[in-house]
Amino acid sequence: MNLIADPIAALASPARAAAGQLARADRPSKDRALLAAAASLRAKAGTILAANAADLAAATGLTGSFLDRLTLNPARVEAMAVGLEEIAALPDPVGRVLSEWTRPNGLVIRRVAQPLGVIGMIYESRPNVTADAAGLCLKAGSAVILRGGSEGARSAAAIHACILDGLRAAGLPEGAVQIAPTQDRAFVGAMLRAAGLIDLIIPRGGKGLVTRVMEEARVPVLAHAEGLCHTYIHASADPEMARAILANAKMRRTGVCGATETLLIDAAIAPSLLPLLVADLAALGCSFRADARALALMPALPPATEADFSTEWLDAILSVKVVDGVDEALAHIRRHGSEHTECIVAEDSAAAEAFLNGIDSAVGLWNASTQFCDGGEFGFGAEIGIATGRLHARGPVGLEQLCTYRYRITGTGQTRP
């Protein structure tokens, strides 16, 4: 056996066996597991919250946004349970006929969705990803090996125990959802080099994690980029709508990847609207980094550097730039963005269409907060990241994105000439 693969061989072997069983499992079995796991999350909420309290007590030197992502409370435990129930209510993605056609020789060809196999999920800080990833992978017919951040290890283990309760209740193999037995960084390296044992790696975390995964992986990776999201307020925007959207997009939760990090505002509307926007966000605890044109309107704001516009703050900080129309807004996004999520606030439908057609990001919104970039809000039940690369599906990764396909061909005795 390859020595590099040895650290995860004990997990990968049962995962591979479980993946074979899950690929053949019917929808009722998978849904029973999800519903039982949801019930277990509720029943063991006290245990989960106690584990999370221990994680938080041990956490030192972390930013406020990181602590927010790490923190669980009764509402967030309930949201995990509801997410699993919503996944159960979704159609089974496995076995869907994606397309079908008949050749002149009479052969009927169908493209059919099938599971990926064994997925390696590497994530940081957010314990709820344990439930989200387990639920989505299970319903999509794939086994998953979970490796969460060391800061949330106790929380992840408590959530994982509830997932195992669900698998046992449905008679499905416990190897379908496994969690790393160690927080040693070497285990991550072993996962990344486990070609033949793991079929796909999905990273969910900060730029450092994703960069390491992309540089070291010998296994295919579903790319995930940092969330350097923009809200662009066009000259035609309704001012009150713009104020409400920006306040939510920036300050609802500053540490999530869908939080707006940069405000772009049209010069035509900036003199009247920018002071109101700044006042709204300042009252919510936000600080600012403003370009020269914004400073000309509001000299008291801190000046922005060029690097500020390429920074994912994940905090109550907003970069501000005044632009001349859609083209300049798009040019700025192309230069500084991470191809995650962009919003335009506008009443002019032609301007909105030009903006949405001009971005190259996974998600574009018109007159809605960037914080809607979330699998649950898309109706996916949950998500395990925002895919941003050009070589695969883009946007929140839900059930359909966790399937590949194969071909089934039906004949009537044809032989090839």
Side-chain angles (χ1 to χ4, degrees), residues 70-82:
L70 179 60
T71 299
L72 295 176
N73 55 38
R76 291 182 181 181
V77 174
E78 175 63 17
M80 285 190 287
V82 170

Side-chain angles (χ1 to χ4, degrees), residues 33 36 40 44 160-174:
S40 182
K44 295 182 176 179
H160 178 244
C162 298
I163 302 299
L164 294 183
D165 288 342
L167 292 170
R168 286 190 287 264
L172 294 175
E174 294 184 22

Side-chain angles (χ1 to χ4, degrees), residues 45-384:
T47 300
I48 294 169
L49 293 174
N52 187 245
D55 282 336
L56 291 170
T60 58
L62 302 179
T63 65
S65 59
F66 193 103
L67 286 172
D68 176 64
R69 295 194 299 275
L70 179 60
T71 299
L72 295 176
N73 55 38
R76 291 182 181 181
V77 174
E78 175 63 17
M80 285 190 287
V82 170
L84 293 180
E85 291 170 338
E86 291 177 345
I87 294 170
L90 293 171
D92 193 336
V94 179
R96 291 173 298 127
V97 177
L98 304 176
S99 60
E100 178 178 338
W101 62 96
T102 301
R103 296 290 297 147
N105 60 11
L107 290 176
V108 178
I109 303 177
R110 297 179 180 89
R111 185 184 294 123
V112 181
Q114 73 166 33
L116 289 167
V118 177
I119 296 172
M121 182 76 197
I122 304 170
Y123 55 102
E124 294 176 326
S125 73
R126 296 181 65 173
N128 63 291
V129 175
T130 308
D132 292 351
L136 288 169
C137 290
L138 192 161
K139 184 71 177 261
S142 289
V144 62
I145 297 172
L146 302 165
R147 202 287 188 178
S150 58
E151 301 85 357
R154 299 173 185 85
S155 305
I159 296 166
H160 178 244
C162 298
I163 302 299
L164 294 183
D165 288 342
L167 292 170
R168 286 190 287 264
L172 294 175
E174 294 184 22
V177 181
Q178 298 179 78
I179 197 164
T182 175
Q183 294 303 309
D184 191 328
R185 284 174 55 86
F187 188 87
V188 173
M191 290 179 70
L192 298 179
R193 294 187 292 274
L197 298 177
I198 294 176
D199 298 299
L200 179 71
I201 291 286
I202 303 177
R204 183 171 183 180
K207 186 175 183 179
L209 169 66
V210 176
T211 298
R212 180 188 178 191
V213 169
M214 298 298 290
E215 289 178 349
E216 296 184 19
R218 299 296 180 267
V219 177
V221 175
L222 190 62
H224 163 85
E226 60 186 326
L228 212 162
C229 307
H230 299 76
T231 293
Y232 166 49
I233 299 179
H234 184 257
S236 69
D238 176 272
E240 293 306 309
M241 179 189 291
R243 292 171 69 179
I245 286 174
L246 182 65
N248 183 268
K250 179 66 230 181
M251 298 302 293
R252 172 187 167 270
R253 289 187 68 184
T254 60
V256 298
C257 62
T260 286
E261 304 290 21
T262 297
L263 165 66
L264 303 174
I265 182 168
D266 258 333
I269 201 173
S272 60
L273 186 55
L274 183 58
L276 298 177
L277 296 170
V278 169
D280 290 342
L281 270 66
L284 297 172
C286 188
S287 60
F288 305 89
R289 304 289 188 273
D291 82 327
R293 297 178 75 183
L295 288 174
L297 298 172
M298 302 193 69
L301 293 180
T305 66
E306 185 74 3
D308 288 336
F309 289 106
S310 297
T311 299
E312 183 186 20
W313 296 111
L314 295 174
D315 204 348
I317 304 171
L318 181 69
S319 303
V320 181
K321 182 178 178 64
V322 177
V323 297
D324 291 316
V326 173
D327 288 344
E328 188 176 349
L330 291 172
H332 178 92
I333 291 169
R334 282 192 292 270
R335 180 173 182 179
H336 296 281
S338 63
E339 300 181 2
H340 192 291
T341 299
E342 326 297 349
C343 161
I344 180 172
V345 184
E347 295 300 297
D348 182 337
S349 60
E353 288 298 323
F355 179 84
L356 296 173
N357 290 333
I359 61 174
D360 195 24
S361 300
V363 178
L365 299 107
W366 177 12
N367 289 345
S369 167
T370 57
Q371 298 222 7
F372 279 108
C373 185
D374 176 88
E377 294 295 334
F378 279 41
F380 295 170
E383 67 169 58
I384 50 177

